[in-house]
């Protein structure tokens, strides 16, 4: 069994996936993990949309000019949204859930990548969030944080090298 430390060390963003569906059991396990994410005051203001429709994935891949093209070829993606009405820290709540999804995927030997939607533009006049919201019929009350792509890895990424970590970022007692 992989330790949590090994899991963190080995998790890298994966943007190329095998052309192979992810088993429903694995998807369910990832989604249950997301639902166990910690959230401020237990508000649980997040919502998760699982997308495996090829046409939708293709359209989602154009949510930004750069950085989202590979969504078109992912077998699966989870769109993470949250309600600013339910939580004043929806962004944090949703980010934690997105990372839990990524770690759960790694635990199941699946690759994943965070694709930023919030605070990004689709066109000069439409945000990436507005584009994804209308594409997936997401209620206006929700903000779209990101798209987490998922699938069997089709690229080799090296684990983190402990020798090269930014130890200069660590402080003790005072900065
Ligand atoms: C908040 C956030 C936004 C990100 N947005 C994107 C994105 O839009 N497209 C992308 O390909 N990767 C995106 N990433 C993945 C990062 O590029 C990646 O995590 C970083 O380069 C470190 O690499 P690693 O995940 O392999 O450790 C994002 C990651 C985070 C945490």
């Amino acid at each position: 069994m992989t330790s949590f430390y090994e899991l963190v060390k080995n998790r890298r963003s994966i943007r190329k996936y095998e052309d192979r569906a992810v088993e429903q059991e694995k998807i369910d396990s990832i989604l249950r993990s997301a639902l166990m994410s910690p959230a401020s005051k237990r508000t649980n203001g997040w919502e998760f949309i699982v997308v495996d429709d090829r046409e939708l994935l293709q359209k989602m891949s154009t949510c930004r000019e750069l950085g989202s093209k590979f969504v078109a070829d992912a077998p699966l993606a989870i769109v993470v949204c949250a309600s600013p009405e339910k939580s004043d820290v929806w962004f944090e709540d949703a980010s934690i859930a997105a990372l839990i999804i990524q770690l759960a995927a790694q635990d199941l030997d699946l690759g994943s990548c965070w694709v930023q939607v919030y605070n990004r533009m689709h066109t000069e006049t439409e945000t990436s969030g507005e584009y994804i919201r209308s594409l997936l019929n997401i209620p206006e009350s929700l903000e779209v944080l990101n798209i987490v792509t998922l699938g069997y890895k089709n690229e080799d990424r090296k684990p983190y090298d402990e020798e090269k970590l930014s130890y200069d970022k660590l402080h003790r007692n005072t900065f």
Side-chain angles (χ1 to χ4, degrees), residues 16-53:
K16 290 187 183 136
Y17 305 97
E18 286 181 15
D19 185 16
R20 171 179 163 199
V22 175
E23 296 81 349
Q24 191 58 45
E25 250 176 43
K26 291 196 175 186
I27 301 172
D28 291 343
S29 168
I30 291 169
L31 292 172
R32 280 196 305 272
S33 301
L35 292 174
M36 289 189 266
S37 302
S40 171
K41 300 180 193 162
R42 206 68 198 137
T43 42
N44 299 3
W46 12 246
E47 305 279 340
F48 306 99
I49 303 156
V50 180
V51 183
D52 61 359
D53 181 281

Side-chain angles (χ1 to χ4, degrees), residues 30 34 48 78 80 96-106 148 150:
I30 291 169
F48 306 99
I78 298 177
V80 181
I96 289 166
L99 184 62
I100 294 264
I101 288 171
Q102 291 200 270
L103 295 176
Q106 175 68 22
V148 181
L150 295 161

Side-chain angles (χ1 to χ4, degrees), residues 11-13 15 64 67-68 70 113-116 157 160:
R11 183 219 53 83
R12 300 302 313 275
S13 292
R15 299 177 178 85
R64 289 173 43 196
S68 58
F70 61 94
C113 190
W114 178 307
V115 177
Q116 185 69 19
R157 298 284 320 270
Y160 274 92

Side-chain angles (χ1 to χ4, degrees), residues 3 6 26 36 63 75 112 115 125 159 173:
S3 69
E6 286 298 313
K26 291 196 175 186
M36 289 189 266
C63 71
S112 73
V115 177
T125 51
N173 291 328

